[in-house]
Amino acid sequence: MSLPLHVSDLQVSTPGGRVLLTCSLFQAGPGETIGLRGPSGAGKSTFLYALAGLHPAMTGHIRWGDTDLVQLTDGARAAFRRNHIGLIFQDFLLFEELSALGNAALATSFNPASKRRLIVNTAERFLKSLNVPADARTVDSFSGGERQRTAIARALAHDPAIILADEPTASLDRKTADGLIEDLIGLTRAQNKTLVAVSHDPHLLERMDRVIDVEDGRLQTEAAGV
Amino acid sequence: MSEALIDLWQNLSPLSQDILWLAMLLLPAVATGLIVTWGFRPGALAGALLWRFRWTNLTFIALIAISIGIGVGLIAQERGLRKGTARAAEKFDLIVAAPGSEITMMFAAVYLQPSDVPLLDGDIYTEIATHADVDLAAPIAFGDSYLSSPVVGTTPQFVTHLAGELDEGRMFTASGEAVAGSRVELQIGETFEPAHGVGDSAEEEAHAGHAVKIVGRMPPTGSPWDRAILVPVESVWEVHGLTNGHSPEHKTRIGPPFDADYFPGTPAILVHANELWANYALRSEFTRDDTMAFFPGAVLAQLHSLMGDIRQIMSVMAVLTQVLVTAGVLTGLIALARLFARRLALLRALGAPGRFVFAVVWSYAATLIVLGAAAGLGAGWIAVDVISSIVTSRTDILVTATLDWPEFHLIAGFVSLTVLLALLPAFMAMSRNIITDLRA
C-alpha cells in the first residue's frame, strides 16, 4: 500500500497556544525519500511528529492518502500509526531488557492476534538482512549500530507505508552511520516506502530525493538532492 | 429468589463456602485484569519494567509483604489464642467457689493465676460430693508454688480427669508425693519444698521441712497445668498446719471421701456431672448465697464475644494498614512511572493504544501487589509461628495458630481492593503528553 502525503494550512501549537510550526503546502509522492534539515529548534522534529499525528494541538490538514490525521481522535491517530507508520529515533529508544527480536516485534504486544505471526516473521527477516545478532541476548549489550538496526527492524516489522526518522545517524560514528544509511535507504527504496528523515548528516541528506529546509517554524526551500 | 440463594448457600459444606468466598473476593481482581489486558500481551513489557527497577520493586514487594504478614499473623494469632484458651478450659465443666468474681475464679482455677479468695467449707464440699448427679468433685487448692510452678492440691481422680494416663511414674498415694506437669523441670525422684504464695511475693521458707517428692508425670495438656505440680490436697492442708480432711483414724488416706469436720476449706471445687444436662441443674442448685457455680466455658465465651468485637476492629485495621502501605507503594509507582515515561511515550508513538499503556502499567503494579501478597502469606506463616511460640511460653497456654481461610479471604480482599487502586497510576501514565516524554 502506498500513501501520498498532502499537507495544507498546517499550524502546530503548544497546548498553551504558542505556534511552533506553520506549513501552507507540502506534498510527497508514495515511495519518495525526503530530508528535513535546519538549525536546532527550527521545527524539523515538530513537523516530523506532526506527520505522525503525535501533536495534540494542530489545525489545517495532513492527508496521508484519504486520511486527514488532524481530524482524527488520539485513538484513531494511534491506529493509523500502528498500521501505516514506522518511527526511528536518534537514541534508538529500545527496551534494554528485551532481545533484538523482542524489540523488533514489540508491536505484537498491542496488535491483534491475527497480525502477530506476520509481525514476528517480518521482524526476523529484517533483523537477518540487517545482520543484527539474533540470539537471546538483551540489547543492552549491543553496539550503537546494532541498536539502531534493531530500531529499523522495529520500524519496518509491521510493514508500514511510511518511515519517519528523527536524526537516525546522530548517535553513531561515521563508519557505522554510513553503513546504516545504506541499509535504511536500500530497504525503504526496495520496499517502495515513503521516508521522511530529520537530519544534520549530509551523507544521509545527499541520498534523499528531496531536502527541505526548516527555519523559524516554517518549511523553506525545496531542493532535489544536495 | 434471595431465600432460595440463602438456602443453597447454607446447604454448602463449610469448605465449599470458604472456597466460594475466596473466589468471590478474587473476582474483582481477576475481572479487572481480564478487562484491562483484553486483546493485549503486556506481559513482556511489564516484565521488562519489573526487571529494570528490580531493587525498587523488591522493596515495594517487601513493604506489602510485611504489612500483610503482620496483619494476618495477628488475626490468626488471636484465633489461635481463643482456641488455646478454650482447649485449656475443656476439662473444667463446672466450678463451684465462694461468691465473687467468676472471671477471677476462672483465671485462678483454670489458668492457675491465683488470687486470694474465700474458702468453701467441708459441709458444702460434702453436699456437692455426695450429690446424686455428681460424678467427680475435686478440691482445687492453689496458692503455693515452687519456682515458676504453681503447686496445686487436689485428688488423684482429678489428675486422671485432667490428663488421663500418666506419661511416667505413678499417681501420688501419700502426703509428700507429687505428680508433675509435662513441662515441669523436676525429674521423677527429685524433691522440692513448696513456697507459700506465688511469684515475687512467695515466701520461700514458709513450708521449710515439708519436702515433696515427684513420683509421676502427666502427659502434655496444652494448658497452664503443664507447668503445675499436683499434690494431694491433704498435703497442702498439712503444710499449712491444718487438719488434712480426714479423721484421725483415716489420717493417711489420700483423696475422697473427706470428713466435713476435718475439712479446712478449698478455694474451688471442680464438678463433673454424670450427665451433660445435670451440669445445668447443678449450676442452678449451687448458685446461692454461700456458693457460686459457673461454667468456665460460658465465661470464656463471654470474653471471646467481647474479643470478637476487637477482632473485627483488628481485621479492619489490618486491611486499612495494608491498603495504606499499598497506597504508599502506588504513590511511589507514580513517581517511578516518570522514570519510564519515555518508554511508555515510545509505545504510544509506535501506535500502541492508550489502553495498552494503561494495561502495561497496571500489570506492572498488579504484579507487585500479587507478589507482595504471596510473600505476605509466607511472612504471615512465619509471624504466626514466632508469635505462637512467644505467647505459648508466656502464658503456658498452647497456642497452635495457623493461617486459615479468614486470612486467605483477607488477603484476597486486599488484592482485589488494591489492584483497583492500581488503576490510578495506570491512568496517570496513560494521560501524559507523548511529545514531552519522547523528548525528555
Side-chain angles (χ1 to χ4, degrees):
Chain A
M1 185 184 187
S2 55
L3 292 170
L5 171 63
H6 183 96
V7 179
S8 57
D9 304 323
L10 176 69
Q11 181 169 303
V12 182
S13 311
T14 62
R18 187 167 63 87
V19 177
L20 294 171
L21 178 96
T22 55
C23 171
S24 51
L25 185 67
F26 176 77
Q27 297 188 81
E32 249 193 300
T33 58
I34 297 161
L36 296 172
R37 75 178 164 201
S40 297
K44 310 181 294 292
S45 297
T46 300
F47 186 56
L48 193 79
Y49 289 149
L51 296 183
L54 285 170
H55 272 289
M58 299 192 289
T59 57
H61 304 282
I62 301 172
R63 290 198 180 89
W64 288 104
D66 295 331
T67 309
D68 187 350
L69 287 185
V70 177
Q71 307 302 320
L72 297 183
T73 61
D74 276 354
R77 288 181 191 181
F80 184 83
R81 285 195 294 278
R82 194 153 68 236
N83 292 321
H84 303 294
I85 295 179
L87 276 165
I88 299 168
F89 303 90
Q90 175 181 339
D91 46 2
F92 329 131
L93 282 179
L94 300 176
F95 279 84
E96 310 285 333
E97 304 77 14
L98 300 181
S99 66
L101 183 61
N103 273 287
L106 194 64
T108 53
S109 305
F110 50 81
N111 267 288
S114 56
K115 285 191 175 178
R116 287 176 194 157
R117 193 67 252 163
L118 191 64
I119 291 172
V120 172
N121 289 342
T122 315
E124 279 174 336
R125 186 158 50 86
F126 282 119
L127 285 173
K128 195 173 175 189
S129 70
L130 288 162
N131 291 320
V132 178
D135 52 27
R137 263 190 309 152
T138 55
V139 296
D140 61 353
S141 60
F142 278 20
S143 69
E146 287 171 333
R147 288 176 189 222
Q148 195 59 300
R149 284 190 174 83
T150 306
I152 291 175
R154 178 179 68 190
L156 295 167
H158 55 296
D159 194 25
I162 307 149
I163 304 289
L164 303 177
D166 190 6
E167 302 277 12
T169 59
S171 297
L172 305 176
D173 62 67
R174 188 66 266 154
K175 191 174 167 218
T176 311
D178 286 343
L180 187 106
I181 291 166
E182 288 307 315
D183 288 336
L184 181 61
I185 300 290
L187 277 176
T188 46
R189 288 199 196 285
Q191 308 278 325
N192 196 34
K193 299 185 187 304
T194 306
L195 170 67
V196 181
V198 167
S199 184
H200 289 99
D201 184 352
H203 291 222
L204 174 61
L205 294 174
E206 74 188 5
R207 299 292 307 276
M208 296 293 189
D209 295 333
R210 282 191 292 151
V211 174
I212 313 290
D213 285 306
V214 184
E215 277 177 35
D216 298 329
R218 287 172 193 278
L219 271 65
Q220 304 285 327
T221 55
E222 292 195 16
V226 176
Chain B
M1 173 67 187
S2 64
E3 275 185 22
L5 271 178
I6 290 168
D7 280 351
L8 193 66
W9 178 258
Q10 284 171 347
N11 286 334
L12 291 172
S13 69
L15 180 67
S16 310
Q17 288 184 352
D18 282 330
I19 292 172
L20 268 178
W21 250 121
L22 188 75
M24 281 193 280
L25 283 164
L26 283 175
L27 190 65
V30 175
T32 309
L34 285 175
I35 293 168
V36 169
T37 61
W38 189 258
F40 298 138
R41 295 200 305 180
L45 292 180
L49 295 179
L50 284 165
W51 182 247
R52 185 169 188 81
F53 304 103
R54 50 193 172 279
W55 298 114
T56 314
N57 293 331
L58 271 178
T59 312
F60 286 162
I61 290 171
L63 279 173
I64 296 174
I66 291 167
S67 74
I68 287 185
I70 293 174
V72 297
L74 278 176
I75 292 168
Q77 198 56 47
E78 187 272 341
R79 189 180 56 242
L81 190 60
R82 255 185 306 132
K83 284 185 179 167
T85 49
R87 195 176 45 242
E90 234 167 34
K91 298 283 183 177
F92 295 81
D93 314 30
L94 179 67
I95 298 277
V96 180
S101 157
E102 291 181 349
I103 290 177
T104 305
M105 184 47 70
M106 180 183 74
F107 270 88
V110 178
Y111 301 110
L112 297 179
Q113 308 285 320
S115 310
D116 282 336
V117 289
L119 303 180
L120 295 175
D121 63 25
D123 289 335
I124 292 173
Y125 174 79
T126 306
E127 187 185 349
I128 296 168
T130 56
H131 195 287
D133 294 334
V134 171
D135 202 27
L136 169 70
I140 298 175
F142 42 79
D144 287 347
S145 67
Y146 172 70
L147 302 179
S148 60
S149 293
V151 173
V152 185
T154 185
T155 63
Q157 291 79 0
F158 174 80
V159 178
T160 307
H161 171 72
L162 181 70
E165 293 273 308
L166 293 183
D167 251 9
E168 288 180 75
R170 59 172 176 82
M171 182 62 67
F172 50 70
T173 53
S175 183
E177 291 185 340
V179 168
S182 64
R183 295 176 68 199
V184 172
E185 282 172 14
L186 289 169
Q187 301 302 311
I188 289 181
E190 283 192 79
T191 57
F192 68 97
E193 285 183 1
H196 185 67
V198 291
D200 293 339
S201 61
E203 299 165 39
E204 301 288 345
E205 305 300 324
H207 303 319
H210 289 278
V212 179
K213 186 179 176 187
I214 305 287
V215 297
R217 183 180 299 281
M218 294 192 293
T221 62
S223 73
W225 289 81
D226 289 345
R227 189 148 324 259
I229 300 170
L230 278 65
V231 296
V233 67
E234 293 84 351
S235 176
V236 173
W237 286 323
E238 284 169 7
V239 299
H240 287 87
L242 305 167
T243 54
N244 77 352
H246 303 290
S247 62
E249 308 86 78
H250 299 103
K251 69 176 182 184
T252 55
R253 177 196 283 276
I254 293 297
F258 294 100
D259 187 328
D261 293 336
Y262 298 92
F263 191 96
T266 179
I269 300 167
L270 167 92
V271 179
H272 179 66
N274 47 19
E275 297 286 347
L276 188 63
W277 59 265
N279 281 312
Y280 294 90
L282 287 168
R283 184 179 65 160
S284 302
E285 197 170 334
F286 290 101
T287 301
R288 58 194 200 199
D289 287 350
D290 57 345
T291 56
M292 163 180 84
F294 66 94
F295 301 134
V299 175
L300 203 57
Q302 283 174 4
L303 277 176
H304 286 167
S305 83
L306 176 68
M307 278 162 72
D309 294 341
I310 297 169
R311 182 169 74 251
Q312 281 175 347
I313 295 169
M314 262 171 65
S315 302
V316 172
M317 300 252 291
V319 173
L320 213 70
T321 312
Q322 289 156 21
V323 170
L324 280 177
V325 168
T326 309
V329 166
L330 293 176
T331 311
L333 281 188
I334 293 173
L336 199 64
R338 289 170 190 270
L339 290 179
F340 49 77
R342 199 155 180 235
R343 312 300 189 79
L344 301 179
L346 165 78
L347 292 173
R348 301 291 307 280
L350 296 182
R355 200 168 68 77
F356 175 72
V357 171
F358 187 90
V360 169
V361 177
W362 181 86
S363 302
Y364 166 60
T367 307
L368 290 183
I369 289 167
V370 171
L371 288 179
L377 200 59
W381 232 291
I382 295 168
V384 160
D385 253 13
V386 171
I387 304 173
S388 287
S389 65
I390 293 172
V391 173
T392 301
S393 73
R394 291 266 170 95
T395 62
D396 292 325
I397 296 168
L398 179 68
V399 177
T400 49
T402 49
L403 296 189
D404 211 337
W405 286 104
E407 288 73 51
F408 302 149
H409 292 156
L410 188 77
I411 293 175
F414 163 83
V415 167
S416 273
L417 190 61
T418 48
V419 297
L420 285 174
L421 283 180
L423 295 173
L424 190 68
F427 182 76
M428 290 177 79
M430 189 183 71
S431 330
R432 296 176 65 93
N433 185 307
I434 302 173
I435 303 257
T436 312
D437 283 346
L438 268 183
R439 287 177 163 175

